[in-house]
């Protein structure tokens, strides 16, 4: 028993604050995602979902707000995410962060694949209370836009934060990524193409994937298989 506690203590000594925060966020996201899936499968979330969507349907919003929501939802679309990912990849190549480029590709392509797998598995119908004000091609659960925006923007934000020494710029990148993911998710519900629990599941699933990619990056960095933040300077 003493040897076990000694090993646990050694492990905690090796973990820095960022790793502890990431591990805690991962546990919370997994718990929320499992709870959301359980409520959706059992139908316990149906009343709340309908209440929120019905409230949105009753709101007489100005036309410009709907246009803003379409602009927001585009931030979670495949085209915009691919364009931004390509821009970051070019930036990393210019800094000679070649292994980081591979990690970004794994994060982006993996998030897309995971979203399609989850949608195909649950195959939930989309809301019909509101007229769909955005084109949809797949099933509803989880929200692909919410999941991909969270996974991709948060991964890119963390990757860029690794290259900065200023804690304010690090926080800026991560908070900006979280804000973009938030407005994308809200826009999906507002445009009538998703239930709120679809978006919640998308946020948490995307967060899980982004945190796993971050932990992988730290693991590879410590083994010397990925460039440190100072590489290329």
């Amino acid at each position: 028993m003493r040897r076990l506690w000694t090993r646990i203590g050694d492990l905690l000594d090796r973990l820095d604050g960022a790793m502890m925060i990431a591990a805690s966020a991962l546990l919370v996201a997994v718990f929320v995602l499992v709870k959301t899936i359980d409520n959706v499968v059992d139908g316990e979330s149906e009343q709340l979902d309908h209440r929120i969507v019905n409230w949105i349907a009753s709101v007489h919003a100005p036309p410009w707000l709907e246009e803003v929501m379409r602009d927001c939802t585009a931030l979670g679309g495949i085209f915009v995410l691919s364009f931004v990912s390509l821009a970051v990849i070019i930036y990393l190549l210019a800094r000679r962060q070649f292994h980081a480029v591979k990690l970004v590709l794994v994060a982006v392509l993996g998030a897309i694949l995971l979203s399609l797998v989850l949608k195909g598995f649950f195959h939930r119908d989309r809301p019909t209370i509101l007229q769909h004000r955005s084109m949809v091609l797949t099933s509803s659960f989880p929200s692909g836009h919410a999941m991909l925006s969270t996974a991709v923007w948060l991964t890119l934000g963390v990757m860029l934060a690794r290259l900065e020494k200023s804690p304010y710029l690090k926080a800026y990148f991560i908070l900006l990524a979280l804000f973009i993911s938030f407005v994308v998710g809200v826009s999906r519900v507002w445009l009538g193409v998703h239930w709120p629990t679809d978006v919640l599941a998308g946020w948490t699933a995307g967060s899980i994937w982004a945190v796993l990619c971050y932990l992988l990056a730290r693991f590879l960095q410590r083994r010397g298989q990925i460039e440190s933040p100072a590489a290329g300077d």
Side-chain angles (χ1 to χ4, degrees):
M1 181 63 70
R2 176 180 295 181
R3 182 178 299 178
L4 174 62
W5 284 110
T6 300
R7 291 183 178 180
I8 293 176
D10 292 340
L11 177 61
L12 292 176
D13 289 339
R14 295 174 186 175
L15 296 177
D16 55 25
M19 291 286 283
M20 294 293 288
I21 293 174
S24 300
L26 180 62
L27 292 176
V28 172
V30 169
F31 173 79
V32 174
L33 178 60
V34 171
K35 188 67 175 178
T36 303
I37 292 175
D38 182 62
N39 289 339
V40 170
V41 172
D42 293 341
E44 296 177 4
S45 64
E46 184 175 345
Q47 183 177 358
L48 179 60
D49 278 333
H50 280 75
R51 184 181 302 173
I52 295 176
V53 176
N54 278 317
W55 176 81
I56 293 175
S58 67
V59 174
H60 299 287
W64 61 263
L65 181 58
E66 184 174 327
E67 190 65 23
V68 168
M69 288 297 175
R70 287 199 185 96
D71 291 340
C72 290
T73 209
L75 295 173
I78 293 294
F79 176 80
V80 172
L81 292 178
S82 299
F83 179 82
V84 173
S85 298
L86 179 61
V88 172
I89 286 173
I90 293 174
Y91 171 69
L92 293 173
L93 287 174
R95 292 181 59 93
R96 305 182 66 81
Q97 299 269 340
F98 302 117
H99 293 296
V101 170
K102 296 178 183 178
L103 188 63
V104 170
L105 289 174
V106 169
V108 174
L109 297 178
I112 295 174
L113 179 61
L114 181 59
S115 174
L116 294 175
V117 169
L118 290 174
K119 282 178 173 290
F121 180 79
F122 290 103
H123 203 69
R124 187 186 193 187
D125 293 332
R126 291 184 181 267
T128 56
I129 299 174
L130 280 170
Q131 180 182 0
H132 293 173
R133 291 171 281 184
S134 179
M135 186 178 68
V136 292
L137 300 173
T138 58
S139 57
S140 189
F141 187 92
S143 167
H145 278 67
M147 178 178 172
L148 292 178
S149 63
T150 303
V152 175
W153 284 108
L154 192 55
T155 297
L156 296 180
V158 170
M159 294 296 294
L160 293 176
R162 290 179 64 250
L163 304 177
E164 290 294 340
K165 296 180 180 180
S166 169
Y168 300 105
L169 289 177
K170 289 178 181 290
Y172 169 76
F173 282 129
I174 295 175
L175 291 176
L176 179 61
L178 292 174
F179 176 75
I180 293 175
S181 304
F182 174 76
V183 297
V184 168
V186 171
S187 71
R188 301 306 286 170
V189 179
W190 187 270
L191 294 174
V193 294
H194 276 294
W195 302 106
T197 46
D198 297 337
V199 171
L200 179 59
W203 280 336
T204 51
S207 298
I208 291 171
W209 183 251
V211 172
L212 288 176
C213 290
Y214 168 77
L215 294 176
L216 176 62
R218 293 296 299 268
F219 174 75
L220 294 177
Q221 180 182 320
R222 291 191 174 190
R223 296 191 61 179
Q225 297 177 6
I226 188 172
E227 297 90 351
S228 65
D233 287 341

